[in-house]
Amino acid sequence: MFRTLIAVVVIAAPPSLWALQEVARVEVGERKEDAPFAANPRLVLDVQPLTEAIRIDGVIEPAWMEASRFENFTEIWPSENIAARARTEGYVAMDGEHLYFAFVCHDPDIRRLRAHVTDRDRIFQDDFVGIMLDTYRNEQTAYELFVNAHGIQGDLLRGIDGQEDETFDMVWSSEARIYEDRWVVEVAIPFKSLRFPRTEEQSWSMHILRIYPRESRFQLSWMPVSQDNNSLFSQAGTLRFRNGGHRTAGVELLPYAIGSRLREITEGDDDNGRRAPADWSGDAGFNVKYGLASNMTLDFAYNPDFSQIEADAGQINVNNTFALYYREKRPFFLEGSDIFAVDRSLNLLYTRSVNDPLLASKLTGKTGRTTIGFISAYDQGSPYLLPFEEQSIALSTSKNSYTHILRVKYDVGSRSYVGMAASDRRLDGRRGSNTAAAVNANIRLSEKYSVSALAGLSTTREPVDSALSADEIDVLDFRANGHRYTSAFDGENFSGWALRAAFERSARHWNLSSYYEDVSPAFRAENSFIRSNNYRVLGAWTGYLFRLNEHPVFYQVEPGLEFARKYNYDGTLKDNWARAALWLGFQKQTGVYMSVAFLNNERFGGKQFNRMNRASINLNSNAFNAVSGGFFVEAGKFLNRLGDEEDPRNPFEIAKGLSVEVWATFKPTSRLSDQVSAVSFELWDHFGGRTIRRQRILRNTLSYQFTRRLFLRLIGEINRADVFYTDSDDDGNFLFDANGEPVVVHEKTTSFSVDPLMSYKINPFTVFYLGAHWGGERDPYPNYDGLTVTDQSVFVKFQYFLRL
């Protein structure tokens, strides 16, 4: 039934997608056409040490013939456990330092292969193949290591809820080659890059996955996966080997040096702008990582470089009263970030609250069933995020603080744990502290059902510092525990609590999610991202998924319904909404999501607003290799949250609104990529009428990948906001012209940025950067008109990863 054929043919031609280089050919596990398909049972791969060295070059050499082999892949998506549309097989082997994998990905039409030379972690619209490893076999966290047909890596960290962290990076090796009817990948993973138990006998859960994007984004798997089971890794195969015990500790160094030149326009005594002299600066620091064992790591950083090479993208905030969330991008906090994840809704541990530490240390790891994470840092310029019922306020400060974050989890079963989290921040040398702690649990009840719960307490001791109390927060106050407190930093002490419980059903067809969330008016956690409090909300969503495996147009259709009711602690109904939705999964990798908010009532600013109905549509398509993209449109009635109730031009009332987002990625060649996005939000007194407020953001990212290590990128962004309101006199009275029409003030702001960057990456951590920044705005000072560059800088940065 099976046959193995090895043929070696050497062709002196450069490798490319169309002109292919054939160095070795291996055909294994070919199924007879008339044999019925049967998916693999739960298999065990026993890995034996190699007797010959393997060269990672995308060529299947004879040394692989002594390795363990895997084959007979199954399509698990969009169809469930049918014969794969393309054949895949491979090998796994090991030596004293590395775990090796080889993948042979056959393709019935290699011309349709999607393969781009790009930066790491940018491969997930391509064809790619790789492994998922649960090294502790506890269904809590898994490594995901994937490679495309040009050998470009994509590494992710998968959490217990199935969410994937794209910011995770690891040091490993990969190479690939494209042949006339297949492509081959070889991978070497250092044991020092992985965390696993301190035992002689290693038994890991493993999935091997290939993504085959053609008419649909087909997922091909070594192990069959039931879509009626909410645990992916309870359906995994097993990778088994003996650990020699000599690769369980190590030291990693990551020193860096950065130099920059800054030139900017600053405000003078006469309110005019003046160009400041150029400011030359340099800095250096280092991170040290010590592997106490294969399952425990200690990190220490002195003056770590917490700058970000890529600036955060602009977000719409023209009608928003809450702080904006930005993802963590700094390497020191990204390593082990899965340990510190507590609850995605409440977001109790948010490491970007640590702004610019001079010293930082971190302990992460696992012993037995217990996972531990601890961060300690001396932070400079610590920020504040003050949550209130209807708004939050973000403050930048020059205050230094000591921050400590602790996370502990204990595994209690399959995909289940109980845990606790705590954070403490204290201002340096002055009164002012905040401590928050929570216990939580995530319990898998069965293959379809799971529950989660969280209960937290906080205590806050405000500093006495009038300079920290911005004028706009002095008038805010809140009632908690029978007392009334001000929003100013006036030395008050208060405590609060937070609760959350959720119940979920995840199955092949009928899915359900329900939750209750409760955050008291005095709950604050200064190392969190909790942007509102004083609410109790009950919500639920349910949907039924129809799977249409052989339909010529659709492969999935899912109608759904969701609702929520939100109260404050006075018992006032603050929000009450319900939405009907329909998901349409089309062939050709295209999906459409439509929804209608047929009930949307809200109480805001002491006033009730009803029937704010609106509809939305979201389309996303990857039908073509050279271009992909989509759009989101939402139209209907929105609340003008920042209006004035008596202002005829900018009223605190319901307005007609339109929110639009359009994005596209163009890849005219395998190395050139252009990402364009445009976001717009606008409110009118009626559709197509007078504009009340609007904001538009246009962003373009153009990149060219010269080699796998060298790329050039140019990011440009322009952000414009317009607000129209009625002018007033010194006494606050609105002004009208002779015809009784309001005298309108058009307040407009425009900012822009241009950021070129050249990067040379030997691995994710050994990198050389040469970059620049030009930022500015329109009419920044009375003596500067039009678009003006207000700050410009050039920087050089080098960091080097050294593993001892």
Side-chain angles (χ1 to χ4, degrees), residues 134 136-142 158-162 233 338 366 369 371 409-418 442:
D134 178 2
Y136 288 98
R137 208 174 178 83
N138 59 7
E139 302 177 46
Q140 306 281 338
T141 304
R158 185 184 186 89
I160 189 173
D161 55 0
F233 277 92
D338 60 302
K366 189 177 183 72
R369 293 187 175 187
T371 302
K409 295 195 300 182
Y410 183 79
D411 302 340
V412 294
S414 172
R415 201 183 161 198
S416 301
Y417 71 86
V418 295
N442 193 311

Side-chain angles (χ1 to χ4, degrees), residues 132-135 140-144 156-159 233 338:
M132 305 165 70
L133 294 174
D134 178 2
T135 57
Q140 306 281 338
T141 304
Y143 299 98
E144 299 186 355
L156 310 166
L157 204 60
R158 185 184 186 89
F233 277 92
D338 60 302

Side-chain angles (χ1 to χ4, degrees), residues 23 126 209 315 363 387 410 424 447 492 578 582 641 692 732:
V23 179
D126 284 358
L209 189 68
Q315 299 184 44
L363 176 68
Y410 183 79
D424 182 85
E447 290 186 351
E492 294 173 320
L582 179 65
R641 299 180 183 276
I692 298 172

Side-chain angles (χ1 to χ4, degrees), residues 227-434:
Q227 296 168 4
D228 231 12
N229 188 331
N230 61 17
S231 174
L232 178 65
F233 277 92
S234 68
Q235 307 176 73
T238 300
L239 186 70
R240 194 165 58 189
F241 60 93
R242 293 179 63 85
N243 173 23
H246 57 277
R247 48 181 178 268
T248 58
V251 176
E252 296 175 359
L253 300 177
L254 187 64
Y256 82 92
I258 187 170
S260 63
R261 178 186 184 274
L262 172 65
R263 187 74 182 269
E264 59 184 345
I265 299 175
T266 60
E267 184 175 357
D269 297 334
D270 55 357
D271 294 331
N272 283 326
R274 62 180 184 83
R275 292 195 177 273
D279 179 20
W280 295 84
S281 63
D283 211 348
F286 62 86
N287 292 5
V288 179
K289 184 190 302 291
Y290 176 62
L292 301 174
S294 62
N295 59 346
M296 194 70 65
T297 303
L298 177 65
D299 294 73
F300 174 78
Y302 170 73
N303 194 28
D305 175 30
F306 278 3
S307 62
Q308 292 178 205
I309 296 302
E310 181 175 345
D312 294 310
Q315 299 184 44
I316 295 291
N317 63 354
V318 72
N319 195 43
N320 179 35
T321 61
F322 294 102
L324 300 176
Y325 176 84
Y326 294 97
R327 294 182 60 185
E328 181 64 85
K329 299 180 181 179
R330 301 170 297 181
F332 180 85
F333 289 123
L334 292 178
E335 207 277 336
S337 61
D338 60 302
I339 296 175
F340 296 95
V342 181
D343 185 280
R344 292 184 180 273
S345 175
L346 290 177
N347 210 339
L348 281 173
L349 300 180
Y350 180 58
T351 52
R352 283 189 70 154
S353 63
V354 182
N355 178 52
D356 183 21
L358 178 64
L359 296 170
S361 61
K362 179 173 62 174
L363 176 68
T364 54
K366 189 177 183 72
T367 174
R369 293 187 175 187
T370 304
T371 302
I372 300 172
F374 179 72
I375 294 175
S376 182
Y378 179 67
D379 189 28
Q380 304 171 107
S382 301
Y384 274 90
L385 176 59
L386 307 181
F388 299 98
E389 180 180 341
E390 296 182 340
Q391 70 179 93
S392 56
I393 297 173
L395 298 175
S396 298
T397 80
S398 59
K399 312 302 179 184
N400 299 338
S401 66
Y402 295 93
T403 288
H404 307 285
I405 297 173
L406 173 66
R407 178 66 166 141
V408 179
K409 295 195 300 182
Y410 183 79
D411 302 340
V412 294
S414 172
R415 201 183 161 198
S416 301
Y417 71 86
V418 295
M420 66 85 64
S423 68
D424 182 85
R425 186 170 80 168
R426 298 177 183 272
L427 292 184
D428 183 12
R430 67 184 67 213
R431 171 177 173 152
S433 64
N434 173 265

